[in-house]
């Protein structure tokens, strides 16, 4: 019994692993393990029975957590957009734009995957949509089956890291940081990952062109009546849109000055990017709309199609992420606006009906219940684990690793990588992250950086052969037996499970390369996040005392009794020994005006504030 009492926390952790390996649902495994060890711990005297009295308060705190409301809002937004046919239109249009290039269809899948990630945020919806629409086309025109399977599965997993990602919302809640800061920190790494995918396809197009052929001329449907492709018109429209965005960005301060009626000298960079992008996209949409209504034929069919298909989801992305980045809306409010915007877009496209709405609401309810049950189970487990000093055991286990921060990060990421073979990102976020975040904070690691790093690593959980969920989703829609292509009327061979697994391996390696880049260069994450402010309290206190001194030069009001003169001083009034001298009067002899104490405190806080120094990074 003494051994069990002395090692209660590690035994409890091993017990949880056994519960999970037995195949019980994760939420119930967490709750049952927590309650079982709570009763055992009380009987052995490891902690008192009052620990269980804290549980209702913890559960009420979960139900009152406004941040978690963003999960069902963003889920509903994504499901409505996916079921309204947006993915099909995007893949068809972007495929036509990039089709003439070698690897163009694969590039289209990557870019559409990024757009779907920023709108739907649901991996299953993205992978299944692109698998149903793109895979038959890629197989029809001779794409390598392994490469086609891998690029579809990998592009679908971008929903894990591109804001508004559900995993970033959960991660922010677990590490105690702002969702907006997590989104800002993940923005650059997410698009670097997209760039790595694109680079891989470009390399294949150069060295293995037979595996990524171009779309044949007969498959390019958006041509002009005279046979022209229409790319010149599209290029001119893009130049106009970018020019408007650049002009807006450079004169954003002038726009603010005109709008507010007072001089504005500078505007934050993220606001410039969001507003300028919105302005450029809106100008392109207005030009396309005028061209359609007036029939002037200013734009080609391709340019008009690209504008009407791409601009609405882009504007929705700017509406949601822009208001969050600018601090206008919280992530929960941004998610609510996104859900309303998705409903409006589906209604304008004539795709909104009660069947679609019922399906989207039912799926959102199931996912929200899934998240809440796991969170309740994880709370029960963590409550007992903390009462048994489990965090102290984890801290001692991980804080003394060789290599300091780098050693800790390498071990943690290896651990997450292997756990992701068996656990979903929700489960990893609720079970593992709360144990690791306090140790990372004690080691001086920025928690935003740490959270984004783990999110990129958890993205591989969808790509691990043989347990990756994205691979299962693709397997469910990929042809598993020979079929006749509806366009070419040729018999097409099926896609095997082993081809899907082999196609995923290069993209898993790309994701691990991105993890290494984030460990080596933390500024990729932290450079996009607003610096926190801290204050020198001693300096603030000194300034507050100075500001609250009496206004008269002698330090006393007219009605107050003057202290007696010190003998031998020639009648001059002096302060008692050890007292602070009164402040000297201004040279003009005029008494200064009395300050408002609250204003003085605010001014002191402003003057005493200084930028927080970033914690030490590996290699610095």
């Amino acid at each position: 019994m003494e051994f069990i009492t002395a090692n209660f926390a590690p035994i409890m952790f091993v017990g949880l692993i056994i519960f999970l390996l037995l195949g019980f649902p994760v939420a119930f495994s967490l709750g049952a393990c927590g309650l079982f060890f709570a009763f055992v711990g009380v009987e052995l005297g490891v902690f008192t029975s009052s620990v269980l009295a804290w549980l209702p308060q913890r559960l009420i705190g979960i139900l009152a957590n406004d941040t978690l409301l963003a999960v069902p809002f963003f889920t509903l937004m994504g499901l409505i957009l996916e079921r309204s046919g947006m993915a099909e239109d995007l893949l068809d249009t972007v495929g036509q734009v990039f089709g003439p290039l070698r690897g163009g269809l694969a590039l289209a899948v990557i870019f559409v995957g990024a757009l779907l990630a920023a709108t739907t945020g649901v991996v299953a919806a993205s992978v299944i949509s692109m698998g149903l629409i793109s895979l038959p086309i890629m197989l029809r025109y001779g794409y390598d089956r392994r490469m086609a399977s891998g690029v579809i599965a990998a592009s679908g997993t971008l929903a894990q890291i591109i804001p508004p990602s559900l995993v970033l919302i959960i991660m922010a809640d677990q590490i105690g940081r702002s969702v907006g800061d997590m989104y800002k920190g993940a923005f650059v790494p997410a698009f670097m990952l997209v760039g790595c995918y694109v680079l891989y396809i470009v390399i294949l197009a150069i060295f293995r062109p037979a595996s990524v052929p171009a779309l044949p001329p007969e498959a390019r449907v958006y041509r002009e009546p005279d046979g022209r492709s229409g790319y010149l018109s599209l290029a001119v429209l893009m130049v106009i849109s970018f020019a408007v965005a650049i002009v807006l960005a450079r004169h954003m301060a002038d726009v603010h000055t005109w709008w507010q009626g007072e001089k504005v000298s500078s505007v934050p960079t993220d606001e410039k990017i969001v507003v300028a992008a919105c302005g450029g996209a809106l100008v392109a949409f207005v030009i396309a709309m005028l061209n359609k209504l007036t029939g002037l034929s200013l734009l080609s069919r391709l340019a008009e199609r690209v504008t009407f298909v791409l601009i609405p989801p882009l504007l929705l992305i700017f509406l949601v992420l822009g208001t969050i980045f600018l601090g206008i809306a919280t992530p929960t409010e941004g998610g609510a606006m996104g859900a309303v915007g998705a409903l409006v877009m589906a209604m304008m496209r004539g795709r909104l009906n009660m069947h679609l709405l019922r399906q989207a609401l039912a799926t959102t309810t199931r996912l929200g219940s899934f998240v809440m049950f796991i969170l309740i189970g994880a709370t029960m487990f963590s409550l007992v684990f903390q009462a048994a000093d489990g965090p102290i055991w984890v801290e001692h286990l991980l804080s003394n690793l060789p290599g300091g921060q780098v050693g800790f990060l390498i071990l943690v990421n290896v651990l997450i990588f292997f756990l992701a073979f068996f656990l979903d990102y929700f489960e990893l976020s609720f079970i593992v992250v709360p144990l690791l975040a306090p140790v990372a904070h004690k080691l001086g690691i920025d928690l935003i950086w740490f959270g984004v790093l783990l999110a990129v690593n958890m993205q591989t959980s969808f790509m691990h052969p043989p347990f990756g969920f994205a691979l299962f989703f693709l397997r469910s829609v990929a042809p598993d037996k020979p079929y006749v292509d509806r366009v070419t009327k040729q018999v097409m061979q099926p896609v095997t499970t082993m081809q899907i697994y082999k196609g995923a391996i290069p993209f898993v390696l790309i994701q691990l390369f991105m993890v290494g880049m984030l460990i080596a260069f933390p500024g990729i994450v932290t450079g996009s996040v607003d610096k926190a402010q801290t204050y020198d309290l001693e300096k603030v206190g000194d300034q507050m005392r100075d500001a609250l001194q009496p206004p008269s030069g002698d330090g006393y009001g007219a009605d107050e009794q003057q202290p007696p003169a010190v003998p031998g001083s020639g009648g001059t009034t002096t302060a008692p020994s050890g007292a602070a001298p009164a402040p000297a009067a201004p040279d003009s002899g005029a008494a200064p005006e009395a300050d408002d104490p609250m204003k003085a405190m605010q001014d002191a806080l402003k003057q005493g504030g200084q930028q927080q120094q970033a914690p030490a990074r590996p290699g610095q």
Side-chain angles (χ1 to χ4, degrees):
M1 291 299 176
E2 292 183 1
F3 175 80
I4 296 177
T5 303
N7 299 277
F8 194 82
I11 292 174
M12 185 177 177
F13 191 76
V14 172
L16 173 63
I17 295 175
I18 294 173
F19 267 90
L20 294 175
L21 292 178
L22 289 175
F24 290 107
V26 174
F28 303 127
S29 296
L30 287 166
C33 184
L35 288 176
F36 173 77
F37 280 97
F39 291 122
V40 172
V42 171
E43 290 296 325
L44 295 180
V46 178
F47 39 74
T48 64
S49 59
S50 61
V51 169
L52 294 176
W54 303 338
L55 184 58
Q57 186 176 3
R58 290 285 189 97
L59 298 183
I60 292 172
I62 294 173
L63 299 177
N65 190 339
D66 291 338
T67 301
L68 295 177
L69 277 175
V71 173
F73 281 139
F74 282 121
T75 304
L76 180 62
M77 178 183 79
L79 290 172
I80 289 174
L81 290 176
E82 183 263 331
R83 283 170 168 75
S84 65
M86 184 191 71
E88 182 178 353
D89 290 344
L90 284 172
L91 283 167
D92 177 55
T93 304
V94 180
Q96 290 292 320
V97 172
F98 290 102
L101 301 174
R102 281 198 303 237
L105 288 178
L107 294 176
V109 167
I110 293 172
F111 288 126
V112 171
L115 278 173
L116 291 178
T119 51
T120 65
V122 181
V123 173
S126 298
V127 173
I128 291 173
S129 298
M130 292 190 293
L132 286 171
I133 300 165
S134 295
L135 187 58
I137 299 174
M138 298 172 82
L139 298 181
R140 178 184 306 152
Y141 296 113
Y143 271 70
D144 181 83
R145 282 168 163 72
R146 293 170 298 178
M147 198 286 305
S149 303
V151 75
I152 290 173
S155 300
T157 63
L158 290 171
Q160 290 299 105
I161 189 62
I162 293 181
S165 162
L166 299 184
V167 69
L168 293 177
I169 297 174
I170 301 297
M171 192 74 68
D173 179 69
Q174 292 300 303
I175 66 176
R177 291 296 183 268
S178 162
V179 177
D181 285 343
M182 288 293 292
Y183 281 177
K184 289 181 180 180
F187 203 75
V188 174
F191 286 98
M192 285 181 64
L193 191 59
V194 173
C196 290
Y197 289 172
V198 170
L199 182 61
Y200 173 65
I201 299 301
V202 170
I203 293 173
L204 282 181
I206 294 173
F207 295 102
R208 293 180 54 193
S211 64
V212 285
L215 201 65
E218 62 270 15
R220 304 169 196 171
V221 297
Y222 296 112
R223 286 183 171 273
E224 298 303 292
D226 58 2
R228 289 180 301 169
S229 64
Y231 280 98
L232 179 61
S233 174
L234 178 61
V236 171
L237 184 64
M238 291 179 62
V239 168
I240 294 173
S241 179
F242 277 110
V244 171
I246 292 172
V247 170
L248 267 178
R250 289 188 175 182
H251 297 279
M252 194 66 65
D254 298 332
V255 173
H256 272 277
T257 300
W258 169 76
W259 181 263
Q260 299 177 10
E262 57 184 19
K263 181 66 176 176
V264 175
S265 57
S266 63
V267 179
T269 303
D270 51 3
E271 181 176 346
K272 287 182 181 180
I273 294 174
V274 171
V275 177
C278 282
L282 193 59
V283 166
F285 188 79
V286 169
I287 292 174
M289 185 62 70
L290 290 174
N291 179 74
K292 185 174 183 178
L293 294 176
T294 59
L296 295 177
S297 299
L298 298 174
L299 299 177
S300 64
R301 291 181 60 200
L302 181 64
E304 189 174 286
R305 171 76 177 180
V306 168
T307 304
F308 286 133
V309 170
L310 285 182
I311 297 303
L314 284 176
L315 288 176
L316 182 62
I317 293 169
F318 295 144
L319 170 69
V320 174
L321 295 183
T323 53
I324 295 174
F325 286 172
L326 300 179
I328 299 173
T330 65
T332 302
E333 294 165 347
M337 287 192 299
V340 173
L343 288 170
V344 171
M345 285 179 57
M347 190 181 302
M348 292 176 64
R349 295 161 62 92
R351 307 278 182 90
L352 185 64
N353 53 55
M354 286 305 299
H355 178 68
L356 182 151
L357 189 59
R358 191 182 302 113
Q359 276 189 331
L361 289 173
T363 305
T364 301
T365 303
R366 282 197 297 270
L367 180 62
S369 302
F370 169 72
V371 172
M372 292 303 295
F373 268 102
I374 291 182
L375 184 53
I376 289 172
T379 300
M380 299 171 78
F381 176 82
S382 65
L383 176 66
V384 180
F385 194 68
Q386 289 175 4
D389 292 332
I392 297 176
W393 169 68
V394 175
E395 181 179 322
H396 289 167
L397 188 66
L398 298 178
S399 60
N400 296 323
L401 292 172
Q405 290 183 350
V406 175
F408 169 77
L409 290 173
I410 291 175
L411 177 66
V412 164
N413 280 279
V414 170
L415 175 67
I416 293 291
F417 180 78
F418 283 105
L419 286 177
F421 276 87
F422 313 103
L423 299 177
D424 185 74
Y425 69 93
F426 280 127
E427 298 151 6
L428 288 171
S429 299
F430 290 137
I431 299 172
V432 181
V433 173
L435 302 178
L436 299 177
V439 183
H441 184 65
K442 185 174 181 181
L443 290 174
I445 296 173
D446 187 287
L447 289 184
I448 297 294
W449 170 39
F450 186 67
V452 172
L453 178 64
L454 293 188
V456 174
N457 197 337
M458 287 181 192
Q459 187 181 351
T460 62
S461 68
F462 282 87
M463 296 289 292
H464 282 318
F467 304 112
F469 289 101
L471 308 183
F472 292 156
F473 298 147
L474 183 59
R475 174 68 279 172
S476 68
V477 297
D480 57 355
K481 56 185 178 181
Y483 66 99
V484 178
D485 184 74
R486 62 182 180 84
V487 175
T488 62
K489 307 303 180 182
Q490 296 179 352
V491 176
M492 306 296 295
Q493 294 302 314
V495 178
T496 66
T497 302
M498 190 55 64
Q499 287 172 338
I500 295 176
Y501 288 167
K502 289 181 178 179
I505 291 175
F507 293 95
V508 172
L509 296 178
I510 290 174
Q511 291 172 350
L512 293 179
F513 167 76
M514 195 66 217
V515 170
M517 289 288 291
L518 294 182
I519 294 176
F521 304 102
I524 296 174
V525 175
T526 58
S528 304
V529 181
D530 297 333
K531 300 299 180 183
Q533 294 241 338
T534 187
Y535 298 97
D536 184 347
L537 295 182
E538 293 185 2
K539 185 176 180 181
V540 170
D542 292 340
Q543 292 176 347
M544 289 172 62
R545 283 194 296 270
D546 292 342
L548 294 175
Q549 287 288 348
S552 59
D554 55 9
Y556 296 93
D559 298 333
E560 296 186 39
Q561 183 179 1
Q562 301 289 335
V566 178
S569 63
T572 304
T573 302
T574 61
S577 175
D587 294 340
S588 62
E593 296 180 1
D595 292 327
D596 180 8
M598 290 302 297
K599 184 176 183 303
M601 292 172 67
Q602 293 172 358
D603 293 342
L605 284 170
K606 289 179 181 178
Q607 296 175 14
Q610 58 186 6
Q611 292 291 339
Q612 181 180 13
Q613 298 296 325
R617 307 277 185 233
Q620 292 184 351

